[in-house]
Amino acid sequence: ALLDLTGLNEIKGVWKGSTTLPCAYVPVKDFVQQTLMWTVVHDQSSGTIFRRDGSGDHILLSEYRGRVSVLKDVPGNVSLHILNLEISDRGAYTCQVTWRASNNSLIAKDITTKVEVVKVAATKPVIRASEPGLTFPAGARTSLTCVASGSPPISYRWFRSTPGGKALLLSSQAELAWDSLRPSDTGKYYCEAENR
């Protein structure tokens, strides 16, 4: 089909994360993009988020300033990127493109994507070692990294078990690193991941 927009019907974004609302077309010779508009309808309000025209890019809704952008350098890709998603961002987002034909007539097309914003609990973390296996010679450098997914920010804590069953807090970073391992570093290490 000539000048059709493609996108998605529905997107689930992660609270505090980022998302891309796809909107794209295949450029056609003799049709020049005049305007691009991204509008949104929320439960209580609606408005124009983004407008691209001959005078440049304009972000019109203040709550999206500093959080939205549209690619410039890929012809036909006018997808909307949203950072730091808020629960209040959920709604119906419409991408509308207007083209001018060589005979000066205008053609407009639009597509709408429904956006949900979900809170995602931190997953059970996995531990990644700097090399395969967890047996090292004394004096070796090594590190362990704790990795989880979910709504950011995710905080990490490393513990080591001590005799008597108490856990000793070692670090509040995702990575636990040793410059030079000693035999006394042998033991059981735990990592914990947490988000809001």
Side-chain angles (χ1 to χ4, degrees):
L2 182 74
L3 286 176
D4 252 346
L5 297 177
T6 55
L8 289 174
N9 288 335
E10 197 166 346
I11 282 183
K12 269 193 169 56
V14 174
W15 181 56
K16 298 295 183 188
S18 59
T19 191
T20 299
L21 308 191
C23 182
Y25 63 89
V26 178
V28 175
K29 192 168 128 29
D30 299 332
F31 287 88
V32 179
Q33 181 180 309
Q34 288 291 110
T35 59
L36 158 70
M37 291 223 303
W38 274 98
T39 56
V40 65
V41 178
H42 296 303
D43 300 339
Q44 306 297 327
S45 63
S46 62
T48 300
I49 299 171
F50 180 95
R51 181 183 167 93
R52 174 175 289 171
D53 56 27
S55 69
D57 288 359
H58 310 279
I59 293 167
L60 302 167
L61 279 181
S62 59
E63 67 262 31
Y64 288 95
R65 288 214 174 103
R67 297 200 295 130
V68 296
S69 60
V70 173
L71 282 181
K72 270 200 171 72
D73 43 0
V74 184
N77 185 343
V78 289
S79 302
L80 184 72
H81 301 282
I82 310 177
L83 304 173
N84 198 14
L85 280 168
E86 295 296 343
I87 300 294
S88 57
D89 288 339
R90 64 175 186 217
Y93 289 73
T94 299
C95 171
Q96 184 188 54
V97 179
T98 306
W99 297 270
R100 187 178 291 278
S102 45
N103 65 1
N104 269 343
S105 65
L106 294 174
I107 294 178
K109 290 277 172 80
D110 62 67
I111 56 164
T112 298
T113 303
K114 191 170 162 247
V115 173
E116 277 297 327
V117 180
V118 293
K119 294 185 178 188
V120 179
T123 57
K124 183 179 168 68
V126 294
I127 295 174
R128 297 212 178 115
S130 54
E131 37 234 280
L134 289 170
T135 305
F136 304 97
R141 292 178 75 119
T142 191
S143 68
L144 299 175
T145 306
C146 191
V147 185
S149 61
S151 296
I154 299 176
S155 60
Y156 296 97
R157 295 197 297 175
W158 277 100
F159 298 92
R160 179 180 180 176
S161 63
T162 60
K166 274 193 120 75
L168 181 69
L169 177 64
L170 300 175
S171 163
S172 297
Q173 305 288 324
E175 187 186 46
L176 191 58
W178 292 264
D179 283 336
S180 175
L181 281 168
R182 298 201 297 272
S184 60
D185 291 322
T186 298
K188 232 181 196 180
Y189 294 83
Y190 302 90
C191 83
E192 180 182 271
E194 181 179 37
N195 67 359
R196 284 185 285 184

